Amino acid sequence: MARILVAMSGGVDSSVVAGLLAEQGHEVIGATLQLYDHGAAIQKKGACCAGQDIHDARSVADRLGIPHYVLDREQVFRREVIGDFADTYARGETPVPCIRCNQTVKFRDLVALARDLGCEALATGHYARRLEGPDGPELHRAADPARDQSYFLAATTREQLAFARFPLGGMPDKAAVRAEAARLGLPVAAKADSQDICFVPEGRYDGLVARLRPDAAAPGEVVHQDGRVLGGHAGIVRYTVGQGRGLGAASWDGGRKLYVAAVEPGTRRVVVAPREALATREAEAGEVNWLIAPPTAPLRCTVKLRAREAPRAARIAWDAGAGLLRISLEEPGIVAPGQACVMYDGDRVLGGGFLRARGSVDRGRAAA
């Protein structure tokens, strides 16, 4: 049996993880991250790591008879997740805050706490599988494709993966997890899943970004790819590559539906074009985290360019000198800078990085 730190968000998934590990006889310690002001967060419906969730996590810990710690990470979360979210939109890109959160306040900080407490592992409620391979731990998709969260774990380092455990990765579906919660007598068995981005639970992220980065909410022009001005907009924060809604009078051109082809923060222009003009076979990604030895020759695999899309066949090449991943898609796709490109070999995650506008300079944080 082992001493294991469980990241308890107050939801059903992480609560079941704590319950199952305690039932198996492990010495379980619960830890909850406080990411918001405790008093204000109690009223934040739909958010995770908020006041009610901390209360729920503590109730589960009491039910299981395990110690429970609350870590104040509000300032770190504001700087490294919310600040990065706003900065990414201000650059005309589309962020993936769940990856940043896993990369920083969750795995980095919780692994450090687990080691300080003498734990042998950190367990989370993520739907992914950690399997032992011939060269060490591997990250694989969850058994339930509808709940798979491997895309959001692609920035997890090999060292963190070696320390991590994902007990729900083999569960057939969420109904089975809720059944386990009920069997264990957990008070959150019927609790609803959190929705939307946790720090903007009503889904209105543009207001948040406007407060933090006012330039991103400044008005500008909507321009056709051929240079014609088709209308105006109320801030680049409201647009992402591939978007077809919210363009007003610029939604159509001669009976052809238009979509966002590019967002230019320097000129505050939103460039639109017919959908077929957005498709490309070539892409680049920076801040690449490898879960295998970085390949020295081009490699065929599948890639996901957005969390909700199916993997697509690609040929990748790692430019170690530039710190960039060169991606050649077999079938054209829409590439939104700021989103993650996650590479797979079957169900195994090979690594991942963040998509860049072609020819841009990478901004660091890269890991090899």
Side-chain angles (χ1 to χ4, degrees):
M1 295 298 103
R3 176 181 291 180
I4 302 176
L5 183 72
V6 176
M8 299 180 67
S9 68
V12 179
D13 297 329
S14 59
S15 298
V16 168
V17 167
L20 291 175
L21 292 175
E23 185 178 57
Q24 292 165 14
H26 296 290
E27 181 185 351
V28 176
I29 301 171
T32 302
L33 298 168
Q34 180 183 315
L35 304 181
Y36 309 94
D37 173 78
H38 186 82
I42 285 178
Q43 306 303 322
K44 194 179 282 288
K45 183 179 180 181
C48 71
C49 305
Q52 184 60 47
D53 296 302
I54 294 171
H55 171 79
D56 290 343
R58 183 172 288 119
S59 296
V60 170
D62 289 345
R63 170 70 178 82
L64 298 173
I66 63 173
H68 177 251
Y69 296 90
V70 177
L71 284 75
D72 182 356
R73 288 296 183 270
E74 184 179 351
Q75 291 186 357
V76 175
F77 185 75
R78 185 184 300 119
R79 180 181 67 250
E80 300 201 24
V81 180
I82 299 177
D84 179 83
F85 179 84
D87 288 342
T88 304
Y89 267 116
R91 289 194 301 266
E93 301 179 354
T94 308
V96 194
C98 291
I99 293 181
R100 287 296 191 210
C101 187
N102 286 332
Q103 184 183 34
T104 55
V105 295
K106 288 189 178 174
F107 280 89
R108 184 192 64 199
D109 291 2
L110 286 177
V111 166
L113 174 66
R115 293 190 187 282
D116 288 345
L117 293 174
C119 295
E120 298 169 52
L122 167 69
T124 76
H126 288 102
Y127 287 81
R129 291 179 297 152
R130 174 193 175 280
L131 304 179
E132 288 294 336
D135 298 317
E138 300 174 354
L139 179 63
H140 288 248
R141 287 194 185 96
D144 178 7
R147 305 293 300 185
D148 175 55
Q149 293 175 306
S150 60
Y151 178 88
F152 299 106
L153 294 170
T156 305
T157 67
R158 280 179 278 183
E159 181 183 12
Q160 291 167 344
L161 182 61
F163 200 71
R165 302 293 183 271
F166 307 117
L168 302 187
M171 287 286 190
D173 51 34
K174 185 60 178 270
V177 177
R178 289 195 180 276
E180 286 294 283
R183 181 184 66 80
L184 292 165
L186 303 182
V188 296
K191 185 175 179 178
D193 291 342
S194 58
Q195 302 292 327
D196 300 316
I197 300 170
C198 66
F199 51 88
V200 280
E202 288 78 34
R204 295 309 304 266
Y205 65 87
D206 52 338
L208 170 70
V209 177
R211 290 195 301 273
L212 297 176
R213 306 291 183 268
D215 286 351
E221 296 175 332
V222 179
V223 182
H224 193 278
Q225 65 175 356
D226 63 14
R228 288 177 291 136
V229 177
L230 302 181
H233 65 76
I236 62 171
V237 63
R238 294 172 172 83
Y239 301 94
T240 181
V241 171
Q243 179 177 328
R245 295 183 294 178
L247 294 170
S251 296
W252 297 86
D253 179 49
R256 303 185 74 188
K257 182 75 175 77
L258 301 179
Y259 298 83
V260 176
V263 179
E264 301 178 349
T267 60
R268 297 203 300 273
R269 298 194 313 173
V270 174
V271 181
V272 295
R275 190 171 184 84
E276 60 269 21
L278 276 61
T280 180
R281 291 180 184 270
E282 304 297 324
E284 295 178 349
E287 296 183 57
V288 179
N289 176 65
W290 289 104
L291 291 175
I292 60 171
T296 56
L299 178 68
R300 292 195 176 276
C301 63
T302 60
V303 299
K304 288 183 70 171
L305 304 181
R306 292 177 184 266
R308 292 185 176 88
E309 77 167 22
R312 56 179 71 230
R315 180 176 178 270
I316 60 170
W318 173 233
D319 185 339
L324 287 172
L325 182 73
R326 317 286 186 183
I327 307 151
S328 297
L329 304 171
E330 285 194 7
E331 297 293 335
I334 295 177
V335 174
Q339 290 283 287
C341 171
V342 178
M343 300 165 281
Y344 292 86
D345 177 10
D347 282 340
R348 183 185 180 186
V349 178
L350 306 179
F354 292 91
L355 293 164
R356 300 288 185 242
R358 295 294 299 279
S360 65
V361 178
D362 197 39
R363 291 180 291 276
R365 275 200 193 182

